[in-house]
Amino acid sequence: MKTISELLEETAAHAVPVVRGIDDTQLAAPTPCGEYDVRALVNHLSMVVDNFRILAAKGDPDFSRTEDVVTGDWRDRFEEATTLLVKAWGEPGAEEGVSGGMKLPARTVGFMVLGDLVVHAWDLATATGQDYEVAPAVASELLPELAAMAPQAREAEVYGPAFPLPQGATAFEQVLAETGRDPGWRAPRP
């Protein structure tokens, strides 16, 4: 079993290049996360990364902020924030006890941010025509955690209904399906 920090580090190695690969002309493109276009999803993911770094330190984040971070050197800032997230979850005690404001087991909260980073990086890659990989070990460790969270996430309307998959789907396809995504989603052609 890997630590949350190790899983986040592996995921960030694939997610950061996706964010760097977003062209400014793609910011209004739709994503598989239906309520967000690319720009809004980058803003959301940046807020998630910042807030879950605070949760790793047992702090109380502000999930209500919705500022537009897609200005200036936003790609560099995303990479820096992701590096800080990995570091925060690697600190002694980060995975122990209860998180800050969420009052959930810290390791569960760590899997929440891992799920967001994995899935939203896929959303962004798919929306912008980029390749995206998830280490099989990351998907295998994330899947049971996401499946356990899914009923409550659906009730809170954070996840859509599970997407039906054929037999033999990969662990990563199952992760996407648990969150209500069609792993075969492709951006509409102009």
Side-chain angles (χ1 to χ4, degrees):
M1 181 182 339
K2 293 186 176 194
T3 66
I4 295 295
S5 181
E6 290 169 329
L7 294 167
L8 284 168
E9 186 172 27
E10 286 184 54
T11 301
H14 298 282
V16 168
V18 166
V19 171
R20 286 200 171 283
I22 298 170
D23 188 273
D24 288 346
T25 63
Q26 297 173 310
L27 292 172
T31 71
C33 190
E35 64 198 70
Y36 295 114
D37 64 12
V38 169
R39 177 186 216 101
L41 190 54
V42 169
N43 285 322
H44 170 73
L45 185 55
S46 295
M47 182 262 306
V48 164
V49 166
D50 289 344
N51 283 331
F52 278 83
R53 178 184 46 78
I54 294 167
L55 285 166
K58 312 294 192 247
D60 293 320
D62 179 6
F63 282 97
S64 67
R65 117 183 125 82
T66 56
E67 66 190 70
D68 184 9
V69 299
V70 185
T71 61
D73 60 351
W74 60 274
R75 293 168 188 88
D76 290 339
R77 288 194 315 272
F78 180 80
E79 182 172 5
E80 290 165 11
T82 305
T83 298
L84 291 173
L85 175 72
V86 170
K87 184 177 179 192
W89 281 96
E91 292 295 325
E95 291 188 43
E96 298 169 7
V98 175
S99 72
M102 293 186 115
K103 307 294 186 226
L104 293 169
R107 190 156 168 89
T108 298
V109 172
F111 275 106
M112 291 170 79
V113 70
L114 178 65
D116 268 16
L117 189 58
V118 165
V119 173
H120 289 321
W122 177 83
D123 289 334
L124 291 168
T126 303
T128 59
Q130 299 182 62
D131 291 330
Y132 178 64
E133 283 183 46
V134 171
V138 171
S140 293
E141 287 203 44
L142 179 58
L143 180 57
E145 299 291 333
L146 226 59
M149 290 182 239
Q152 188 174 1
R154 284 191 192 92
E155 189 175 302
E157 298 181 0
V158 175
Y159 293 173
F163 187 84
L165 292 175
Q167 289 286 349
T170 67
F172 181 53
E173 290 169 332
Q174 292 175 58
V175 163
L176 295 173
E178 274 298 334
T179 66
R181 285 163 176 77
D182 171 2
W185 188 95
R186 297 294 172 258
R189 292 186 175 190

